[in-house]
DNA sequence: ACCGGTACCGATACCGGTATCGATATCAGG
DNA sequence: CCTGATATCGATACCGGTATCGGTACCGGT
């Protein structure tokens, strides 16, 4: 029907018998307009179905209502939950999230950041602290709030919301050791790309070493980080080292796969072998066997990140208070 | 550093000694520019770090490079995978996805659509065919490609990529019946909101009736559609009707929970009770027991939807070829 | 030398809003 | 009745690009 005749502010103004400027002010609730005009403009706007044009207002103003979000992957429920938290946090603010998937590829990441910046977004949320130098420069010069999420092990560009993966790895090693485990293996995916999983492994190993232990077996694969891979690698690891009494996985998906293998083979968990993952997926709670995990507040991270951009967190302008580190809780239900 | 002195096209033009217009053409690869000018402009643009401003070009042109995506939830891996497919399909097209989460709320959906339209997006991808009348009107008048995904049971506004949930439900009922099951129950979540799950259930019941059967028990809950809920409801259902020999779940998450319950209680699956879900999550393959599911091509749906917007699918302009229905394959591995 | 055609370029007018600042009207105080 | 303050508006200039259309310059053909 209405082909190219989009209702514009000028139309509203004309219909309401005021100037564009007054109409603009009335609709935005900016000052210097009489109550009568406001009423009239708002009414006619509604009547003729005025919608407004974000492009125009963003171009005119100096900033848009867009907020860019970069995640490495969406095949993993974890990042979907972060997005979910972001969507939740954004609600009511009038902001709108634009997302990009980097596939753990620094160059892709750089290009997406570039592209997003050219929308003059209100802020940017990027995953991790390990961008390329070019990307970092871009972010530094952007002159908008930039929130790096998930990780806090490193130097943030601006704000930072996440957790220490080194510490998470260390804590998990200590947990396993406290459970009396000593023949421990590691199973992971995509280690060459997922720097956070690397950091966890590093912390884990460091903590083992501190206790005079080291990994008995280490299996990694390029396959997708999913239950299937976890199950297969667990079978391999146990075949190789049948007396393993603990396995640390790079995340819960793999760990769940490990649990499935053990169930299928009648290996008791955690009695004979304790399985430890990372994230605290919902799934974990209902598994028929108890596996250990570090519960991370994904949704909370997303929400908190948004607050740095909406300014809900403006109270903390000091650089040192612009990093928020959550401590994942480890659930060990014997 | 570069506070408000963003490099603009005028800067590039000046530095290259040409007019804004020529610079614009050179950078876009539009015609009517000498090879020498193109080279010069591109070089100086790179030198002084010109980035371009999507807002301006989108406002000036009639359409932006944004593409709006609406999903009901991101707590469910299914929609994350759809987004993932969309991100994949978009790659290289210069488009950028904006997403919104409706929470299965029609009014929220309407507001998000409204808001997205005011970015003059290149297209819109919305989940499902059951929008409010207001939303539908908005979409119809938008004069941009609109792709409704996941569902094809209904009348699409424009293009449509998904599958028939009625048929999926019917097919699953037939599968269970063919397996010799007759005391069948249903377990679901959020039925009042998730219209696609409703449709599956409807088809399922219809098919049961056609075979002289009906549901023995039906358990639903408002709890999140996750494994935990599935496990709890399964316990309830089996307590109530111990001789159930088949359970249809509204999705795989719940079904997995059901499997966990059965494993924990030593109930053999599928011998004593067959469990059927929906989606074909990766998880299903590695479960220690075999459960039945309808495999849906989530990623593919996302990718295909994008093609309608980028025009990669422009060959099909006829309305009847603007609906693409995938048929989910049911995996029954005894 | 004249002419039409082609290749290349730039001035100008937008796109649809908002910032700015000056104009007009109204009103209290003197 | 005049003055200055206050409230309300609107004309104009942008924001940073692109569409349009009207020049130049240079070409080969006659």
């Amino acid at each position: 029907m209405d082909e190219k005749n989009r209702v514009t502010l000028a139309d509203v103004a004309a219909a309401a018998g005021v100037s564009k400027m007054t109409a603009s002010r009335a609709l935005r609730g900016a000052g210097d307009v009489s109550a009568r005009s406001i009423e009239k403009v708002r009414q006619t706007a509604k009547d003729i179905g005025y919608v407004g044009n974000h492009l125009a207002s963003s171009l005119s103003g100096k900033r848009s209502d867009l907020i860019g979000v970069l995640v490495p992957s969406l095949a993993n429920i974890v990042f979907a939950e972060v997005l979910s938290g972001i969507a939740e946090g954004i609600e009511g603010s009038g902001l709108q999230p634009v997302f990009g998937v980097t596939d753990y590829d620094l160059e892709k990441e750089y290009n997406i950041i570039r592209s997003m910046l050219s929308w003059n977004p209100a802020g940017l949320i990027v995953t991790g602290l390990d961008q390329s130098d070019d990307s970092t420069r871009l972010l530094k010069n952007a002159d908008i709030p930039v929130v790096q999420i998930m990780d806090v092990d490193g130097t943030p560009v601006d704000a930072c919301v996440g957790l220490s993966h080194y510490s998470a790895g260390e804590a998990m090693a200590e947990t396993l050791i406290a459970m009396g485990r000593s023949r421990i293996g590691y199973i992971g995916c995509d280690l060459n790309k997922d720097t956070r999983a690397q950091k966890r492994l590093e912390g884990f190993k460091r903590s083992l070493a501190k206790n005079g232990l080291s990994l008995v077996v280490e299996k990694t694969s390029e396959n997708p980080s999913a239950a299937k891979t976890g199950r297969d690698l667990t079978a391999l690891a146990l075949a190789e080292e049948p007396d393993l009494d603990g396995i640390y996985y790079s995340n819960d998906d793999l760990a769940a796969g490990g649990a499935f293998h053990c169930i299928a083979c009648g290996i008791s968990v955690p009695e004979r072998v304790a399985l430890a993952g990372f994230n605290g997926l919902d799934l974990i709670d209902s598994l028929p066997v108890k596996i250990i995990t570090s519960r991370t507040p994904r949704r909370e991270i997303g929400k908190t990140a948004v607050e740095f951009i909406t300014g809900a967190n403006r109270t903390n302008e000091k650089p040192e208070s612009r990093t928020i580190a959550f401590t994942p809780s480890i659930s060990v239900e014997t």
Side-chain angles (χ1 to χ4, degrees), chain A:
Chain A
M1 314 308 119
D2 73 55
E3 288 301 282
K4 45 234 50 197
N5 38 11
R6 276 232 331 192
V7 181
T8 167
L9 184 61
D11 300 335
V12 179
V18 297
S19 74
K20 261 175 63 177
M21 212 43 238
T22 301
S24 168
R25 285 194 270 247
L27 291 174
R28 280 179 301 150
D32 280 0
V33 199
S34 67
R36 219 163 49 82
S37 295
I38 291 185
E39 175 53 30
K40 197 169 40 169
V41 170
R42 295 229 163 123
Q43 190 53 49
T44 52
K46 189 175 299 180
D47 289 347
I48 65 181
Y50 172 70
V51 177
N53 184 325
H54 274 151
L55 291 169
S57 58
S58 302
L59 176 60
S60 179
K62 199 62 191 152
R63 190 126 302 166
S64 78
D65 296 328
L66 256 18
I67 153 172
V69 183
L70 280 91
V71 294
S73 155
L74 277 173
N76 191 320
I77 184 73
V78 166
F79 294 109
E81 288 178 348
V82 172
L83 285 193
S84 192
I86 289 174
E88 192 182 334
I90 270 178
E91 204 156 331
S93 70
L95 261 42
Q96 216 134 35
V98 186
F99 74 95
V101 177
T102 67
D103 274 328
Y104 292 99
D105 179 328
L106 291 183
E107 187 155 357
K108 261 190 205 170
E109 182 174 56
Y110 173 76
N111 288 325
I112 297 177
I113 291 175
R114 245 176 91 96
S115 181
M116 283 190 171
L117 284 178
S118 68
W119 287 106
N120 277 26
L124 233 44
I125 297 177
V126 306
T127 302
L129 290 165
D130 308 285
Q131 282 75 36
S132 71
D133 291 344
D134 286 341
S135 297
T136 304
R137 191 162 336 109
L138 232 44
L139 294 175
K140 275 217 176 90
N141 292 340
D143 194 32
I144 53 172
V146 171
V147 189
Q148 286 163 297
I149 57 172
M150 305 315 279
D151 194 359
V152 300
D153 295 320
T155 316
V157 166
D158 176 14
C160 182
V161 181
L163 52 99
S164 165
H165 291 261
Y166 285 119
S167 310
E170 288 182 346
M172 189 55 84
E174 275 152 30
T175 302
L176 287 175
I177 291 169
M179 289 172 70
R181 311 299 160 140
S182 59
R183 299 195 47 79
I184 299 173
Y186 176 83
I187 287 177
C189 276
D190 280 333
L191 272 193
N192 49 335
K193 296 156 132 200
D194 184 343
T195 59
R196 286 172 295 287
Q198 276 170 31
K199 290 174 179 175
R200 291 196 294 278
L201 175 55
E202 213 169 296
F204 190 81
K205 282 178 170 170
R206 187 196 298 161
S207 199
L208 284 188
K210 209 176 295 172
N211 287 273
L213 296 174
S214 63
L215 287 177
V216 173
V217 60
E218 191 169 341
K219 292 276 172 214
T220 61
S221 128
E222 295 298 313
N223 290 342
S225 176
K228 180 84 169 68
T229 309
R231 183 166 177 172
D232 294 346
L233 291 181
T234 303
L236 280 181
L238 285 173
E240 211 166 279
E241 297 287 341
D243 54 351
L244 278 185
D245 58 13
I247 304 181
Y248 187 34
Y249 293 86
S250 60
N251 64 43
D252 281 351
D253 296 283
L254 295 176
F260 297 156
H261 171 78
C262 292
I263 292 170
C265 297
I267 300 172
S268 67
V269 174
E271 292 75 15
R272 172 150 155 225
V273 55
L275 307 183
F278 178 81
N279 268 329
L281 297 189
D282 292 341
L283 180 76
I284 298 304
D285 292 324
S286 47
L287 244 32
V289 299
K290 286 297 170 201
I291 72 181
I292 311 164
T293 189
S294 310
R295 299 192 182 267
T296 59
R298 284 91 65 192
R299 186 176 302 267
E300 191 70 18
I301 288 177
K303 244 173 113 174
T304 309
V306 171
E307 287 170 8
F308 274 107
I309 291 171
T310 57
N313 215 320
R314 200 196 309 282
T315 47
N316 303 329
E317 288 292 1
K318 303 161 294 184
E320 61 276 19
S321 47
R322 290 181 72 79
T323 286
I324 295 185
F326 291 97
T327 305
S329 67
I330 292 188
S331 66
V332 212
E333 320 178 34
T334 323

